[in-house]
Amino acid sequence: STVSYASDVVKREFIWEVQGLSWIEQKLTQEGRACTNSNVFDVDASDASSKYMLVFSPRGGSLKHDADDDFMYFDDDLAGTLALIRRADSYGTSLCYRFFLRDASGEFQPLGEPTRVAVAALDSADDIESFVGGPDLETESK
């Protein structure tokens, strides 16, 4: 008898391009925001809990955004420059994620090592929270 823990693994790449970086801090200040965010994307289209977004805060500040309340269930003091946020849910999941940045030559370079996490299921469907992962997360603004 064999048990496979990798049979339901789904892989997904998502490319998010932020243009006008030389103006991003001024535009975010003008808009009263500390960060910008990607559109919501699915990792597994057959799983309603598999919705994610990327958030970029150029000063390593707050990751709170105005885009979608379902992605806001995390510590208000959490800060960083780049983060992957999972839509708030009570269902658990396992993730392996890694960030890449495009260099001046157009090639993607890794930002840190791959990270594997287990997001535990919560006791009640009424309890929900958003998973947040990134290369430089802290609980205070930089």
Side-chain angles (χ1 to χ4, degrees):
S1 166
T2 302
V3 175
S4 174
Y5 288 96
S7 62
D8 293 332
V9 172
V10 177
K11 294 182 181 183
R12 173 82 197 292
E13 290 182 10
F14 182 76
I15 297 176
W16 177 40
E17 185 174 350
V18 180
Q19 296 180 341
L21 286 175
S22 66
W23 284 101
I24 192 168
E25 288 191 43
Q26 291 79 15
K27 292 297 283 184
L28 290 174
T29 299
Q30 177 185 352
E31 296 168 359
R33 302 187 300 150
C35 62
T36 188
N37 57 278
S38 72
N39 291 329
V40 174
F41 60 94
D42 296 315
V43 171
D44 180 356
S46 68
D47 180 358
S49 300
S50 182
K51 301 212 180 291
Y52 296 84
M53 78 167 43
L54 296 172
V55 175
F56 174 60
S57 179
R59 292 187 184 155
S62 173
L63 299 169
K64 293 289 186 170
H65 51 84
D66 296 331
D68 191 327
D69 288 345
D70 287 342
F71 291 82
M72 299 282 282
Y73 290 89
F74 58 88
D75 185 348
D76 287 341
D77 295 328
L78 194 60
T81 54
L82 185 60
L84 173 70
I85 302 178
R86 180 181 181 227
R87 188 179 130 220
D89 209 316
S90 61
Y91 292 107
T93 192
S94 295
L95 297 171
C96 180
Y97 63 91
R98 188 174 193 185
F99 295 97
F100 290 80
L101 299 177
R102 194 177 318 206
D103 65 18
S105 69
E107 297 295 317
F108 286 101
Q109 301 299 325
L111 178 64
E113 296 298 318
T115 302
R116 286 188 177 197
V117 296
V119 179
L122 302 175
D123 293 334
S124 165
D126 294 333
D127 295 331
I128 60 172
E129 61 184 48
S130 300
F131 165 79
V132 182
D136 65 345
L137 298 181
E138 297 182 4
T139 54
E140 295 180 7
S141 289
K142 297 178 180 177

